[in-house]
Each structure stands twice: as C-alpha cells, then as structure tokens.
Amino acid sequence: MKQQKLMFLAVGLTLSAFTLAADTGLPKLAVKAKYKIGFAQTESNNPWRIAQTKSMQDEAKKLGWQLVYTDAAGSAAKQVADVRSMIAQKVDAIFLAPREEKPLAPVILEAKKAGIPVFLIDRNVDQSLAKAGTDYVTFIGSNFIEEGKRVGEWIAKKTNGKANIIELEGTTGSSPANDRKTGFDNVIKKYPGMKILASQTGDFARDKGRQVMETLLQAHPEVNVVYAHNDEMAIGAIAALEAAGKKPGKDVLVLSIDGGKEAVQLVVDGKIAYVVECNPKFGPKAYSTLKDYAAGKKIPAKIINPDREFHAGNAKQLLNTAY
Ligand code: GYE
C-alpha cells in the first residue's frame, strides 16, 4: 500500500516536471471572435512605416478587432511609455516594432508579468534581455543579416572585389542596423580590395542620409559605392551625390534595402543599382499568427519573411508589385 502511494507520487512528480518543461511560461491567449490589441509603432516619418501601419490598421478593420495604435515619434522612451499604457488598458495582446534592441526589452517582461502576450514585428530585441519563445511569442520580420550579405555579395560580383564604399547605417541600436552591418561586414572581410571608407548613421531618414552623405563625400571623394541600410537614406544620398556633380549609377553605385516604389523606380531610372526587398505589409501575417497562438498551435520563435530583390533586369516588370 505504502509502496503504491510512493509510486503514484513519483509518477505525479515526473508528470508535473514534464508539463513545466513543456510550458514556455508565455501568457496564454483565449480564443475570441474579436480582440482588443495594441500596436506600438516606432515612428511614421517614412513610407515603410506608413505602409506597415496601414497594413496593421486595414487588417484589424477587416477582422473587426479594436486596435490601440501609438506612434513613438522616434523616441524609445516614448515607446516604452506607450507599451505601459497598453498594459494599463488591458489589451489582449501587443504588437511591438521595437525602435532599439535594448531599451524596449524591459517592457516586454512587464507585459509578460501582466499576462499579455507580445509579438514583435519587423524589429527584434537583444536576446540576452528578453527571449523569443519565452518572454515574447515570436519575431516576425526579415533576416537582416542575410539582407546585408546579399548587398555585399552583389557589390563583390559587380566590382570584382574592388570598391571604395560609404555605408549609411540605420538607427543606432536597432536590430536592422546592427544586422545589416554584420551581414555586410562578413562579406567585405573576404575581399581585401573592398574598403569601407566611412560608416555612419543616417537614422533611416532621407534628409539625415543626405546630410551625412554630403559631409562624407567631402572627406572621401574617391567613393564609388554607397550602401544605404534603407531606401530613404539611399534617396537622400542620391540628392547629395547629384548636388556634388556626381552621377549615381555611373560614378557611384547606390544600393539599398526595402524596395518601396520610389526606390524601385530609381532602379528603373538607373540611379539605384540594386535593392533587397524588406516588405512592410505585416498585417495579415501578424494577426493570423496571433490566432494560431490562441488556438494553441506551436509558434516558431522566428517567422522570417521572404525578401525579393530589384535590379536593372527586373525592376520595370516588378515596379507595380513594390509597396
Ligand atoms: O528598413 C526602414 C524602417 O525596421 C525593417 O525600419 C525596418 C526598417 C526599414 O524605418 O526603412
């Protein structure tokens, strides 16, 4: 009798250890017809952000869900406050596009503690501070390292491994800026003839990109390749190059990431040489992932969007499909 009891106890303990191990610790989400969700946007100063917000809003409308939308206007501190206010409003779930990798990690943990699942879209956070699949459900977005690598490889091929490069980096401390640099650097390292003359942030913004390019151009007139971490800075750089009497596409190859219509048109015009796409239309995928999560389906810690590319050979044909 006693032995039997002990055995039951042992089986029970093993079972609960199993359930604990299988439990991710993430807040659960009830299955509902309609949700009240938060979307904390980082800024709205470029076409990429505007297209992303529109996609999130359109899809919420389609589903009849209530969307609490905030715009951090380029401030990580404001975005932290925005997420806290969503927690206070007891939204069912939060979609967050974290402006920078470190400052947004703590509020993810606060949401988790409050029982609200968080989904990261388009930008990630520092995994040592908040972990995908444990502290937040998943990251949905592009593989930024791969994007940077593709740009680097394209340059290596087109220039036979000889280039004088100016790099315009995205927002300092953001995951796309960090990773687009890493992926690019990994390729450049292999080619002694490819030199990064200067690498500086243009904050993913057109006018900042133009100003930075203007200054760097004076210091490095020998530049023949510009790698911009997004379209906006590439368009700013083109303005600076033209103002200095240089011909983008001839004297200087300009490459970027995003693939918005304006940039793809510039590929058609011959001013941008190559663009890796990074599509901002997240709405449908974001919400279907939330529904899958509520239904108890296993969600991978990373959901990677496929990225196309635009170059002289396909830009005209693909122009209408660009965001
Ligand atoms: O490339 C840029 C935007 O986080 C992937 O942020 C996104 C980047 C995108 O402002 O244009």
Side-chain angles (χ1 to χ4, degrees):
M1 191 59 193
K2 210 174 168 193
Q3 218 177 3
Q4 222 175 9
K5 253 192 189 166
L6 272 176
M7 214 174 77
F8 273 127
L9 193 70
V11 171
L13 280 176
T14 332
L15 275 181
S16 60
F18 258 115
T19 14
L20 273 180
D23 192 349
T24 56
L26 285 165
K28 300 265 178 297
L29 185 63
V31 176
K32 289 195 209 171
K34 289 184 186 344
Y35 291 97
K36 175 181 171 183
I37 49 166
F39 170 40
Q41 178 58 288
T42 138
E43 57 215 351
S44 321
N45 63 344
N46 76 40
W48 198 98
R49 293 282 142 207
I50 292 163
Q52 185 192 40
T53 299
K54 187 170 182 314
S55 170
M56 292 296 282
Q57 286 170 337
D58 286 354
E59 194 66 11
K61 211 180 271 166
K62 215 155 117 193
L63 296 165
W65 296 4
Q66 188 188 339
L67 182 66
V68 177
Y69 169 74
T70 55
D71 174 2
S75 155
K78 168 148 190 332
Q79 200 174 29
V80 167
D82 290 343
V83 174
R84 287 199 176 127
S85 120
M86 287 171 186
I87 297 172
Q89 292 175 62
K90 296 195 168 38
V91 294
D92 292 311
I94 295 172
F95 290 99
L96 168 64
R99 182 170 157 83
E100 289 147 52
E101 281 200 76
K102 289 183 197 287
L104 270 305
V107 274
I108 292 175
L109 304 181
E110 287 172 32
K112 179 187 180 186
K113 219 167 158 192
I116 301 172
V118 174
F119 298 77
L120 294 193
I121 53 171
D122 100 64
R123 290 188 187 176
N124 216 333
V125 288
D126 186 326
Q127 293 300 290
S128 68
L129 303 175
K131 218 172 163 43
T134 309
D135 297 318
Y136 58 95
V137 179
T138 185
F139 161 79
I140 308 173
S142 290
N143 180 340
F144 304 128
I145 294 193
E146 186 63 25
E147 290 175 343
K149 181 178 164 217
R150 285 169 74 179
V151 172
E153 279 170 352
W154 195 93
I155 300 171
K157 209 168 127 198
K158 290 288 162 178
T159 66
N160 284 321
K162 275 188 221 76
N164 292 327
I165 306 161
I166 285 181
E167 180 176 5
L168 299 174
E169 298 172 24
T171 297
T172 306
S174 71
S175 64
N178 290 342
D179 293 354
R180 284 171 185 170
K181 180 156 189 59
T182 302
F184 186 70
D185 284 354
N186 288 345
V187 176
I188 300 303
K189 268 191 280 194
K190 293 190 265 178
Y191 298 89
M194 286 172 77
K195 284 189 224 77
I196 301 180
L197 304 172
S199 183
Q200 206 171 302
T201 182
D203 204 14
F204 280 134
R206 187 180 297 205
D207 204 52
K208 187 85 192 290
R210 185 191 57 77
Q211 286 169 35
V212 172
M213 188 64 212
E214 209 175 84
T215 313
L216 293 180
L217 197 52
Q218 277 164 17
H220 306 282
E222 72 276 34
V223 59
N224 58 14
V225 173
V226 173
Y227 164 38
H229 286 191
N230 80 345
D231 288 352
E232 286 297 287
M233 295 187 296
I235 294 168
I238 287 172
L241 287 167
E242 287 179 336
K246 299 225 185 222
K247 283 205 166 58
K250 284 216 172 88
D251 310 324
V252 181
L253 294 179
V254 179
L255 298 92
S256 79
I257 297 169
D258 274 357
K261 239 191 202 98
E262 200 178 342
V264 178
Q265 180 61 55
L266 286 165
V267 177
V268 175
D269 300 343
K271 292 189 181 184
I272 295 185
Y274 178 71
V275 182
V276 176
E277 187 184 41
C278 181
N279 203 297
K281 294 187 176 162
F282 283 76
K285 197 181 255 177
Y287 298 151
S288 69
T289 306
L290 180 149
K291 283 196 236 167
D292 286 348
Y293 181 66
K297 287 194 191 152
K298 175 120 191 54
I299 309 294
K302 266 187 183 176
I303 300 175
I304 299 302
N305 294 336
D307 292 328
R308 299 180 298 174
E309 60 184 17
F310 303 99
H311 48 73
N314 68 5
K316 207 169 183 176
Q317 192 187 324
L318 295 179
L319 182 61
N320 281 331
T321 68
Y323 71 86

